[in-house]
Amino acid sequence: MDIKVDGATAFAATGGRAFDPSLPVTVFVHGAAFDHTVWKLQARYFAWNGGSVLAVDLPGHGRSEGPPRPSIPAMADWLVALMDAVEVGEANLVGHSMGALVAMDAAARHGARVRKLALLGAAPAIPVNDLLLSRSAEDDHHALELLTGWGYGRRAHYGVHKMPGIWMTGGGLRTLERAAPGVLHNDLVATNAYEGGEAAAAAVACPTLVVIGARDLMTPAKRGHALAGMLADSTTVVIPQAGHIMLDEEPDATLDALKDFLVD
C-alpha cells in the first residue's frame, strides 16, 4: 500500500488484506536497515483476524522514498504523520529494536494516538558498538555481517527452525543487503544518539508489552527488564533461547505474545 507522507511516497504492507481504518489498527515498525518483510507472520495474523495492519517501511527503507530520518524523534513524528495520512486516530504500535525506540517515543509524545504499545528487543538506550559504527560509515559489508552475527541468537546460527530449510542468518543478511547505501549508518547513528529513552518510558501512559530474548546480545535481557520497570503499565514476556531478532528466530512465540497482549 502506497501512502503519501510529507510529500513522499511511503510503503506499508497490509498483511494480504485491504487496509480498513475502521478496524482496530496495528502498526509494525522495523529495526535498523530492515524493512516491512520482517513482520510477515505477525502482520498477516492480525490482518486476517479482525484487524487492519500497516507494516511500514520507514523513509529511505524498503519501498519508501527517502531520505531516511536522522533521529528517533523524527522517525516517530513521521510515524504519526503516516497515521494522519490514512485517517487513523488511534493504533497499536509494535516496534523492534530501533523501531521499538521509535514506537516508544511516539507513544510518549503522542499518547492519545496509541492504544497499546509492544516493544521487542528494546532497552532504555541502545548504544552501538564503535566497530559497527565505523564499518557502516564506509558501507562495508562487514557491518552487515557483524549485525547479523550479533543480532541472531546462538541457536539461530546452527540453523534451528521449525520450518525445515529456513536459513535465518542468511535470510537476515540478504534483507540488510537490500538497504540503500548509508541507511544502516543513519539508523545506527540515530539509535546510538538517542538519549530520551528513560524520559519516554516514564511518559508512556498506555499498556505496554516488553518482549525479551533471553539470549539477546544487543539489548541484553537485564536492560529489557530495566525498561519494563520504567513503564507505568507493563507486561513482560521472555522468550527462552531467542536472541535479538526474536520475531524471526521464534516467530510463533513472538506472535503468541502479541496476540495475548493486543487482542482484547
Side-chain angles (χ1 to χ4, degrees), residues 38-122:
V38 299
W39 299 107
K40 44 192 174 291
L41 173 67
Q42 296 83 15
R44 192 166 185 83
Y45 175 85
F46 284 95
W48 288 85
N49 287 274
S52 269
V53 162
L54 295 171
V56 303
D57 284 342
L58 291 168
H61 299 69
R63 294 163 58 179
S64 288
E65 294 178 349
R69 298 300 189 265
S71 70
I72 298 299
M75 296 180 204
D77 289 340
W78 177 90
L79 196 64
V80 174
L82 178 136
M83 291 172 59
D84 290 339
V86 293
E87 299 182 347
V88 170
E90 181 186 63
N92 301 317
L93 298 186
V94 180
H96 173 245
S97 193
M98 179 189 79
L101 296 181
V102 173
M104 183 169 68
D105 192 84
R109 294 189 296 109
H110 305 277
R113 309 298 299 275
V114 184
R115 177 176 171 270
K116 291 184 179 181
L117 178 66
L119 307 174
L120 286 65

Side-chain angles (χ1 to χ4, degrees), residues 179-256:
V183 167
L184 176 59
H185 187 63
N186 175 88
D187 292 355
L188 295 179
V189 169
T191 299
N192 191 59
Y194 184 61
E195 297 179 347
E198 292 189 17
V204 170
C206 65
T208 303
L209 171 69
V210 179
V211 181
I212 298 170
R215 301 299 179 89
D216 190 336
L217 298 179
M218 301 192 78
T219 51
K222 65 180 181 180
R223 300 297 291 144
H225 286 294
L227 175 62
M230 298 174 185
L231 294 156
D233 183 0
S234 69
T235 300
T236 302
V237 172
V238 178
I239 302 180
Q241 302 299 325
H244 186 62
I245 311 178
M246 71 284 289
L247 60 170
D248 193 13
E249 297 177 55
E250 296 288 350
D252 290 334
T254 301
L255 176 58
D256 287 344

Side-chain angles (χ1 to χ4, degrees), residues 145 148-160 167-169:
E145 297 166 7
T148 303
W150 294 333
Y152 284 90
R154 184 177 296 275
R155 289 177 75 248
H157 287 270
Y158 293 126
V160 178
W167 184 20
M168 284 181 281
T169 56

